[in-house]
mmCIF file of all heavy atoms in Angstrom:
data_model
loop_
_atom_site.group_PDB
_atom_site.id
_atom_site.type_symbol
_atom_site.label_atom_id
_atom_site.label_comp_id
_atom_site.label_asym_id
_atom_site.label_seq_id
_atom_site.Cartn_x
_atom_site.Cartn_y
_atom_site.Cartn_z
ATOM 1 N N CYS A 28 -8.656 343.027 129.048
ATOM 2 C CA CYS A 28 -8.233 344.427 128.656
ATOM 3 C C CYS A 28 -6.683 344.381 128.461
ATOM 4 O O CYS A 28 -6.013 344.193 129.412
ATOM 5 C CB CYS A 28 -8.646 345.372 129.800
ATOM 6 S SG CYS A 28 -8.062 347.055 129.447
ATOM 7 N N GLU A 29 -6.342 344.595 127.190
ATOM 8 C CA GLU A 29 -4.906 344.569 126.800
ATOM 9 C C GLU A 29 -4.470 346.027 126.814
ATOM 10 O O GLU A 29 -5.046 346.914 126.053
ATOM 11 C CB GLU A 29 -4.687 343.937 125.492
ATOM 12 C CG GLU A 29 -3.123 343.775 125.154
ATOM 13 C CD GLU A 29 -2.940 343.055 123.913
ATOM 14 O OE1 GLU A 29 -3.984 342.562 123.355
ATOM 15 O OE2 GLU A 29 -1.777 342.815 123.425
ATOM 16 N N ALA A 30 -3.235 346.289 127.433
ATOM 17 C CA ALA A 30 -2.756 347.661 127.473
ATOM 18 C C ALA A 30 -1.317 347.673 126.948
ATOM 19 O O ALA A 30 -0.655 346.654 126.743
ATOM 20 C CB ALA A 30 -2.733 348.220 128.901
ATOM 21 N N SER A 31 -0.812 348.858 126.616
ATOM 22 C CA SER A 31 0.480 348.974 126.255
ATOM 23 C C SER A 31 1.419 348.705 127.462
ATOM 24 O O SER A 31 0.940 348.752 128.656
ATOM 25 C CB SER A 31 0.796 350.447 125.781
ATOM 26 O OG SER A 31 0.718 351.353 126.826
ATOM 27 N N GLY A 32 2.652 348.365 127.240
ATOM 28 C CA GLY A 32 3.514 348.156 128.377
ATOM 29 C C GLY A 32 3.626 349.279 129.320
ATOM 30 O O GLY A 32 3.705 349.142 130.518
ATOM 31 N N ARG A 33 3.739 350.601 128.803
ATOM 32 C CA ARG A 33 3.963 351.729 129.688
ATOM 33 C C ARG A 33 2.594 351.801 130.529
ATOM 34 O O ARG A 33 2.765 352.197 131.848
ATOM 35 C CB ARG A 33 4.089 352.881 128.863
ATOM 36 C CG ARG A 33 4.279 354.263 129.689
ATOM 37 C CD ARG A 33 4.561 355.336 128.782
ATOM 38 N NE ARG A 33 5.832 355.246 128.207
ATOM 39 C CZ ARG A 33 6.365 356.152 127.255
ATOM 40 N NH1 ARG A 33 5.733 357.189 126.879
ATOM 41 N NH2 ARG A 33 7.488 355.917 126.789
ATOM 42 N N ILE A 34 1.431 351.811 129.955
ATOM 43 C CA ILE A 34 0.222 351.863 130.662
ATOM 44 C C ILE A 34 0.114 350.862 131.824
ATOM 45 O O ILE A 34 -0.256 351.137 132.923
ATOM 46 C CB ILE A 34 -1.059 352.020 129.852
ATOM 47 C CG1 ILE A 34 -0.930 353.255 128.909
ATOM 48 C CG2 ILE A 34 -2.267 351.857 130.551
ATOM 49 C CD1 ILE A 34 -1.995 353.308 127.875
ATOM 50 N N PHE A 35 0.391 349.581 131.351
ATOM 51 C CA PHE A 35 0.179 348.509 132.278
ATOM 52 C C PHE A 35 1.030 348.565 133.381
ATOM 53 O O PHE A 35 0.640 348.163 134.573
ATOM 54 C CB PHE A 35 0.398 347.240 131.434
ATOM 55 C CG PHE A 35 -0.105 345.947 132.180
ATOM 56 C CD1 PHE A 35 -1.367 345.522 132.151
ATOM 57 C CD2 PHE A 35 0.870 345.213 132.929
ATOM 58 C CE1 PHE A 35 -1.849 344.419 132.732
ATOM 59 C CE2 PHE A 35 0.474 344.123 133.558
ATOM 60 C CZ PHE A 35 -0.904 343.688 133.505
ATOM 61 N N SER A 36 2.250 348.899 133.333
ATOM 62 C CA SER A 36 3.230 348.882 134.335
ATOM 63 C C SER A 36 3.206 350.033 135.259
ATOM 64 O O SER A 36 3.601 350.020 136.506
ATOM 65 C CB SER A 36 4.749 348.744 133.748
ATOM 66 O OG SER A 36 5.013 350.016 133.057
ATOM 67 N N ARG A 37 2.663 351.183 134.857
ATOM 68 C CA ARG A 37 2.719 352.420 135.516
ATOM 69 C C ARG A 37 1.403 352.811 136.218
ATOM 70 O O ARG A 37 1.329 353.886 136.945
ATOM 71 C CB ARG A 37 3.233 353.609 134.768
ATOM 72 C CG ARG A 37 4.628 353.382 134.306
ATOM 73 C CD ARG A 37 5.011 354.558 133.178
ATOM 74 N NE ARG A 37 5.116 355.795 133.948
ATOM 75 C CZ ARG A 37 6.179 356.333 134.588
ATOM 76 N NH1 ARG A 37 7.299 355.668 134.733
ATOM 77 N NH2 ARG A 37 6.107 357.459 135.242
ATOM 78 N N ASN A 38 0.342 352.156 135.915
ATOM 79 C CA ASN A 38 -0.923 352.603 136.382
ATOM 80 C C ASN A 38 -1.766 351.458 137.099
ATOM 81 O O ASN A 38 -1.587 350.285 136.820
ATOM 82 C CB ASN A 38 -1.762 353.076 135.114
ATOM 83 C CG ASN A 38 -1.226 354.264 134.476
ATOM 84 O OD1 ASN A 38 -1.506 355.396 134.992
ATOM 85 N ND2 ASN A 38 -0.570 354.202 133.423
ATOM 86 N N TRP A 39 -2.621 352.016 137.890
ATOM 87 C CA TRP A 39 -3.685 351.141 138.393
ATOM 88 C C TRP A 39 -4.647 350.762 137.260
ATOM 89 O O TRP A 39 -4.767 351.657 136.296
ATOM 90 C CB TRP A 39 -4.468 351.867 139.532
ATOM 91 C CG TRP A 39 -3.824 352.246 140.701
ATOM 92 C CD1 TRP A 39 -2.980 353.333 140.893
ATOM 93 C CD2 TRP A 39 -3.821 351.628 142.025
ATOM 94 N NE1 TRP A 39 -2.565 353.390 142.120
ATOM 95 C CE2 TRP A 39 -3.033 352.355 142.811
ATOM 96 C CE3 TRP A 39 -4.545 350.531 142.507
ATOM 97 C CZ2 TRP A 39 -2.876 352.053 144.243
ATOM 98 C CZ3 TRP A 39 -4.343 350.148 143.849
ATOM 99 C CH2 TRP A 39 -3.457 350.923 144.603
ATOM 100 N N MET A 40 -5.244 349.694 137.265
ATOM 101 C CA MET A 40 -6.191 349.239 136.189
ATOM 102 C C MET A 40 -7.445 348.694 136.800
ATOM 103 O O MET A 40 -7.352 348.090 137.948
ATOM 104 C CB MET A 40 -5.486 348.218 135.209
ATOM 105 C CG MET A 40 -4.297 348.812 134.515
ATOM 106 S SD MET A 40 -3.785 347.658 133.210
ATOM 107 C CE MET A 40 -5.110 347.704 132.113
ATOM 108 N N GLY A 41 -8.552 348.927 136.156
ATOM 109 C CA GLY A 41 -9.793 348.434 136.717
ATOM 110 C C GLY A 41 -10.844 348.470 135.661
ATOM 111 O O GLY A 41 -10.768 348.898 134.499
ATOM 112 N N TRP A 42 -12.043 348.019 136.120
ATOM 113 C CA TRP A 42 -13.274 347.968 135.305
ATOM 114 C C TRP A 42 -14.320 348.776 135.930
ATOM 115 O O TRP A 42 -14.634 348.701 137.103
ATOM 116 C CB TRP A 42 -13.711 346.511 135.194
ATOM 117 C CG TRP A 42 -12.865 345.631 134.359
ATOM 118 C CD1 TRP A 42 -11.898 344.820 134.789
ATOM 119 C CD2 TRP A 42 -12.891 345.533 132.873
ATOM 120 N NE1 TRP A 42 -11.323 344.177 133.793
ATOM 121 C CE2 TRP A 42 -11.907 344.537 132.600
ATOM 122 C CE3 TRP A 42 -13.693 346.120 131.906
ATOM 123 C CZ2 TRP A 42 -11.669 344.169 131.319
ATOM 124 C CZ3 TRP A 42 -13.408 345.715 130.590
ATOM 125 C CH2 TRP A 42 -12.494 344.770 130.302
ATOM 126 N N TYR A 43 -14.924 349.705 135.115
ATOM 127 C CA TYR A 43 -16.164 350.366 135.445
ATOM 128 C C TYR A 43 -17.245 349.811 134.666
ATOM 129 O O TYR A 43 -17.010 349.135 133.585
ATOM 130 C CB TYR A 43 -15.876 351.908 135.157
ATOM 131 C CG TYR A 43 -15.091 352.639 136.197
ATOM 132 C CD1 TYR A 43 -13.803 352.601 136.026
ATOM 133 C CD2 TYR A 43 -15.653 353.361 137.228
ATOM 134 C CE1 TYR A 43 -12.850 353.245 136.925
ATOM 135 C CE2 TYR A 43 -14.907 354.059 138.048
ATOM 136 C CZ TYR A 43 -13.475 353.981 138.044
ATOM 137 O OH TYR A 43 -12.727 354.608 138.906
ATOM 138 N N ARG A 44 -18.453 350.097 135.090
ATOM 139 C CA ARG A 44 -19.647 349.740 134.325
ATOM 140 C C ARG A 44 -20.780 350.764 134.444
ATOM 141 O O ARG A 44 -20.766 351.399 135.436
ATOM 142 C CB ARG A 44 -20.197 348.327 134.713
ATOM 143 C CG ARG A 44 -20.786 348.233 136.111
ATOM 144 C CD ARG A 44 -21.166 346.833 136.445
ATOM 145 N NE ARG A 44 -21.795 346.747 137.735
ATOM 146 C CZ ARG A 44 -22.138 345.688 138.327
ATOM 147 N NH1 ARG A 44 -21.934 344.403 137.722
ATOM 148 N NH2 ARG A 44 -22.753 345.666 139.433
ATOM 149 N N GLN A 45 -21.473 350.846 133.412
ATOM 150 C CA GLN A 45 -22.627 351.753 133.394
ATOM 151 C C GLN A 45 -23.800 351.121 132.749
ATOM 152 O O GLN A 45 -23.776 350.663 131.591
ATOM 153 C CB GLN A 45 -22.323 353.018 132.690
ATOM 154 C CG GLN A 45 -23.424 354.122 132.802
ATOM 155 C CD GLN A 45 -22.971 355.547 132.527
ATOM 156 O OE1 GLN A 45 -21.933 355.567 131.722
ATOM 157 N NE2 GLN A 45 -23.584 356.502 132.999
ATOM 158 N N ALA A 46 -24.812 350.955 133.602
ATOM 159 C CA ALA A 46 -26.118 350.293 133.128
ATOM 160 C C ALA A 46 -26.961 351.326 132.686
ATOM 161 O O ALA A 46 -26.918 352.604 133.121
ATOM 162 C CB ALA A 46 -26.704 349.449 134.189
ATOM 163 N N PRO A 47 -27.968 351.031 131.863
ATOM 164 C CA PRO A 47 -29.002 352.119 131.425
ATOM 165 C C PRO A 47 -29.657 352.703 132.595
ATOM 166 O O PRO A 47 -30.207 352.016 133.508
ATOM 167 C CB PRO A 47 -29.973 351.296 130.564
ATOM 168 C CG PRO A 47 -29.156 350.109 130.037
ATOM 169 C CD PRO A 47 -28.229 349.804 131.182
ATOM 170 N N GLY A 48 -29.696 354.075 132.658
ATOM 171 C CA GLY A 48 -30.294 354.717 133.693
ATOM 172 C C GLY A 48 -29.508 354.679 134.961
ATOM 173 O O GLY A 48 -30.081 355.328 136.029
ATOM 174 N N LYS A 49 -28.382 354.238 134.948
ATOM 175 C CA LYS A 49 -27.648 354.207 136.165
ATOM 176 C C LYS A 49 -26.228 355.039 136.063
ATOM 177 O O LYS A 49 -25.761 355.191 134.965
ATOM 178 C CB LYS A 49 -27.178 352.830 136.671
ATOM 179 C CG LYS A 49 -28.355 351.897 136.726
ATOM 180 C CD LYS A 49 -29.223 352.258 137.992
ATOM 181 C CE LYS A 49 -30.372 351.274 138.213
ATOM 182 N NZ LYS A 49 -31.158 351.554 139.441
ATOM 183 N N GLN A 50 -25.756 355.446 137.150
ATOM 184 C CA GLN A 50 -24.503 356.136 137.067
ATOM 185 C C GLN A 50 -23.289 355.075 137.000
ATOM 186 O O GLN A 50 -23.457 353.919 137.390
ATOM 187 C CB GLN A 50 -24.209 357.053 138.379
ATOM 188 C CG GLN A 50 -24.194 356.313 139.680
ATOM 189 C CD GLN A 50 -24.178 357.251 140.819
ATOM 190 O OE1 GLN A 50 -23.927 358.477 140.626
ATOM 191 N NE2 GLN A 50 -24.270 356.809 142.016
ATOM 192 N N ARG A 51 -22.183 355.550 136.392
ATOM 193 C CA ARG A 51 -21.058 354.675 136.232
ATOM 194 C C ARG A 51 -20.534 354.340 137.660
ATOM 195 O O ARG A 51 -20.487 355.157 138.602
ATOM 196 C CB ARG A 51 -19.983 355.468 135.596
ATOM 197 C CG ARG A 51 -18.677 354.583 135.177
ATOM 198 C CD ARG A 51 -17.616 355.464 134.532
ATOM 199 N NE ARG A 51 -17.108 356.389 135.538
ATOM 200 C CZ ARG A 51 -16.261 357.374 135.247
ATOM 201 N NH1 ARG A 51 -15.830 357.507 133.987
ATOM 202 N NH2 ARG A 51 -15.834 358.260 136.167
ATOM 203 N N GLU A 52 -20.053 353.024 137.820
ATOM 204 C CA GLU A 52 -19.579 352.618 139.109
ATOM 205 C C GLU A 52 -18.255 351.752 138.914
ATOM 206 O O GLU A 52 -18.174 351.092 137.849
ATOM 207 C CB GLU A 52 -20.567 351.775 139.822
ATOM 208 C CG GLU A 52 -21.034 350.526 139.074
ATOM 209 C CD GLU A 52 -22.026 349.626 139.934
ATOM 210 O OE1 GLU A 52 -22.089 349.873 141.143
ATOM 211 O OE2 GLU A 52 -22.512 348.710 139.442
ATOM 212 N N LEU A 53 -17.354 351.825 139.814
ATOM 213 C CA LEU A 53 -16.242 350.999 139.826
ATOM 214 C C LEU A 53 -16.630 349.568 140.168
ATOM 215 O O LEU A 53 -17.162 349.347 141.262
ATOM 216 C CB LEU A 53 -15.142 351.573 140.733
ATOM 217 C CG LEU A 53 -13.964 350.669 140.941
ATOM 218 C CD1 LEU A 53 -13.093 350.586 139.709
ATOM 219 C CD2 LEU A 53 -13.095 351.252 142.111
ATOM 220 N N VAL A 54 -16.260 348.700 139.402
ATOM 221 C CA VAL A 54 -16.493 347.249 139.638
ATOM 222 C C VAL A 54 -15.411 346.580 140.390
ATOM 223 O O VAL A 54 -15.606 345.896 141.449
ATOM 224 C CB VAL A 54 -16.867 346.481 138.320
ATOM 225 C CG1 VAL A 54 -17.084 344.968 138.606
ATOM 226 C CG2 VAL A 54 -18.007 347.115 137.594
ATOM 227 N N ALA A 55 -14.211 346.752 139.921
ATOM 228 C CA ALA A 55 -13.057 346.108 140.498
ATOM 229 C C ALA A 55 -11.807 346.874 139.920
ATOM 230 O O ALA A 55 -11.796 347.513 138.929
ATOM 231 C CB ALA A 55 -12.962 344.748 140.183
ATOM 232 N N ARG A 56 -10.657 346.836 140.709
ATOM 233 C CA ARG A 56 -9.392 347.353 140.298
ATOM 234 C C ARG A 56 -8.269 346.528 140.828
ATOM 235 O O ARG A 56 -8.389 345.811 141.764
ATOM 236 C CB ARG A 56 -9.300 348.831 140.666
ATOM 237 C CG ARG A 56 -9.203 349.121 142.230
ATOM 238 C CD ARG A 56 -7.903 348.983 142.741
ATOM 239 N NE ARG A 56 -7.782 349.296 144.185
ATOM 240 C CZ ARG A 56 -6.884 348.763 145.060
ATOM 241 N NH1 ARG A 56 -6.009 348.004 144.640
ATOM 242 N NH2 ARG A 56 -6.895 349.181 146.238
ATOM 243 N N ILE A 57 -7.178 346.697 140.093
ATOM 244 C CA ILE A 57 -5.940 346.031 140.577
ATOM 245 C C ILE A 57 -4.829 347.039 140.464
ATOM 246 O O ILE A 57 -4.714 347.755 139.486
ATOM 247 C CB ILE A 57 -5.721 344.816 139.738
ATOM 248 C CG1 ILE A 57 -4.473 343.996 140.222
ATOM 249 C CG2 ILE A 57 -5.426 345.132 138.212
ATOM 250 C CD1 ILE A 57 -4.395 342.510 139.679
ATOM 251 N N SER A 58 -3.933 346.975 141.574
ATOM 252 C CA SER A 58 -2.799 347.887 141.535
ATOM 253 C C SER A 58 -1.593 347.311 140.806
ATOM 254 O O SER A 58 -1.624 346.214 140.262
ATOM 255 C CB SER A 58 -2.411 348.174 143.017
ATOM 256 O OG SER A 58 -1.790 347.045 143.511
ATOM 257 N N THR A 59 -0.592 348.142 140.598
ATOM 258 C CA THR A 59 0.646 347.699 139.949
ATOM 259 C C THR A 59 1.225 346.624 140.831
ATOM 260 O O THR A 59 2.017 345.730 140.149
ATOM 261 C CB THR A 59 1.545 348.918 139.752
ATOM 262 O OG1 THR A 59 1.733 349.552 140.976
ATOM 263 C CG2 THR A 59 1.050 349.791 138.676
ATOM 264 N N GLY A 60 1.069 346.573 142.106
ATOM 265 C CA GLY A 60 1.561 345.540 142.919
ATOM 266 C C GLY A 60 0.700 344.319 143.022
ATOM 267 O O GLY A 60 1.089 343.261 143.726
ATOM 268 N N GLY A 61 -0.447 344.308 142.403
ATOM 269 C CA GLY A 61 -1.272 343.110 142.298
ATOM 270 C C GLY A 61 -2.405 343.084 143.392
ATOM 271 O O GLY A 61 -3.197 342.164 143.356
ATOM 272 N N SER A 62 -2.536 344.103 144.198
ATOM 273 C CA SER A 62 -3.605 344.050 145.133
ATOM 274 C C SER A 62 -4.884 344.429 144.470
ATOM 275 O O SER A 62 -4.950 345.308 143.605
ATOM 276 C CB SER A 62 -3.322 345.044 146.335
ATOM 277 O OG SER A 62 -3.256 346.414 145.867
ATOM 278 N N THR A 63 -6.034 343.875 144.928
ATOM 279 C CA THR A 63 -7.322 344.009 144.279
ATOM 280 C C THR A 63 -8.361 344.502 145.133
ATOM 281 O O THR A 63 -8.210 344.454 146.399
ATOM 282 C CB THR A 63 -7.766 342.618 143.678
ATOM 283 O OG1 THR A 63 -7.744 341.695 144.832
ATOM 284 C CG2 THR A 63 -6.888 342.194 142.636
ATOM 285 N N PHE A 64 -9.324 345.179 144.546
ATOM 286 C CA PHE A 64 -10.482 345.806 145.260
ATOM 287 C C PHE A 64 -11.662 345.335 144.462
ATOM 288 O O PHE A 64 -11.774 345.520 143.159
ATOM 289 C CB PHE A 64 -10.406 347.248 145.373
ATOM 290 C CG PHE A 64 -11.659 347.875 145.868
ATOM 291 C CD1 PHE A 64 -11.990 347.932 147.176
ATOM 292 C CD2 PHE A 64 -12.523 348.431 144.882
ATOM 293 C CE1 PHE A 64 -13.215 348.547 147.638
ATOM 294 C CE2 PHE A 64 -13.682 349.050 145.216
ATOM 295 C CZ PHE A 64 -14.060 349.105 146.660
ATOM 296 N N TYR A 65 -12.753 345.067 145.143
ATOM 297 C CA TYR A 65 -14.050 344.669 144.471
ATOM 298 C C TYR A 65 -15.249 345.472 145.123
ATOM 299 O O TYR A 65 -15.285 345.669 146.340
ATOM 300 C CB TYR A 65 -14.319 343.158 144.585
ATOM 301 C CG TYR A 65 -13.247 342.359 143.970
ATOM 302 C CD1 TYR A 65 -12.265 341.824 144.702
ATOM 303 C CD2 TYR A 65 -13.326 341.939 142.607
ATOM 304 C CE1 TYR A 65 -11.209 340.948 144.136
ATOM 305 C CE2 TYR A 65 -12.292 341.136 142.028
ATOM 306 C CZ TYR A 65 -11.415 340.696 142.848
ATOM 307 O OH TYR A 65 -10.475 339.924 142.265
ATOM 308 N N ALA A 66 -16.075 345.925 144.228
ATOM 309 C CA ALA A 66 -17.288 346.421 144.830
ATOM 310 C C ALA A 66 -18.069 345.408 145.546
ATOM 311 O O ALA A 66 -18.047 344.197 145.252
ATOM 312 C CB ALA A 66 -18.153 347.024 143.639
ATOM 313 N N ASP A 67 -18.845 345.884 146.611
ATOM 314 C CA ASP A 67 -19.573 344.873 147.319
ATOM 315 C C ASP A 67 -20.577 344.045 146.462
ATOM 316 O O ASP A 67 -20.853 342.819 146.800
ATOM 317 C CB ASP A 67 -20.292 345.568 148.411
ATOM 318 C CG ASP A 67 -19.367 346.045 149.545
ATOM 319 O OD1 ASP A 67 -18.277 345.640 149.737
ATOM 320 O OD2 ASP A 67 -19.842 346.945 150.381
ATOM 321 N N SER A 68 -21.036 344.708 145.494
ATOM 322 C CA SER A 68 -22.060 344.042 144.656
ATOM 323 C C SER A 68 -21.507 342.833 143.883
ATOM 324 O O SER A 68 -22.256 341.918 143.394
ATOM 325 C CB SER A 68 -22.679 345.033 143.673
ATOM 326 O OG SER A 68 -21.709 345.585 142.819
ATOM 327 N N VAL A 69 -20.223 342.791 143.649
ATOM 328 C CA VAL A 69 -19.608 341.710 142.869
ATOM 329 C C VAL A 69 -18.679 340.821 143.657
ATOM 330 O O VAL A 69 -18.158 339.798 143.136
ATOM 331 C CB VAL A 69 -18.855 342.210 141.647
ATOM 332 C CG1 VAL A 69 -19.791 343.177 140.770
ATOM 333 C CG2 VAL A 69 -17.646 342.950 142.035
ATOM 334 N N LYS A 70 -18.354 341.209 144.909
ATOM 335 C CA LYS A 70 -17.357 340.549 145.763
ATOM 336 C C LYS A 70 -17.878 339.043 145.903
ATOM 337 O O LYS A 70 -18.990 338.792 146.138
ATOM 338 C CB LYS A 70 -17.251 341.225 147.029
ATOM 339 C CG LYS A 70 -16.090 340.663 147.926
ATOM 340 C CD LYS A 70 -16.000 341.483 149.192
ATOM 341 C CE LYS A 70 -15.683 342.949 148.924
ATOM 342 N NZ LYS A 70 -15.467 343.770 150.060
#
């Protein structure tokens, strides 16, 4: 996922996914400081 410099530097970024018949869920995210979070299903 490539972002503009402004977006990349000022925001948290992450991945969501939505499967057929399922609600959207957060898969993983990374902060501007580099800390990460993962959903239990993908950890």
Side-chain angles (χ1 to χ4, degrees):
C28 176
E29 184 178 1
S31 72
R33 178 177 296 177
I34 291 176
F35 192 85
S36 64
R37 296 176 64 88
N38 292 281
W39 300 79
M40 297 186 66
W42 291 94
Y43 286 80
R44 69 185 182 187
Q45 187 163 22
K49 304 292 185 180
Q50 61 184 353
R51 186 187 65 185
E52 63 175 347
L53 175 65
V54 178
R56 63 86 176 151
I57 188 166
S58 72
T59 53
S62 63
T63 54
F64 167 85
Y65 300 93
D67 288 342
S68 60
V69 307
K70 191 175 299 181

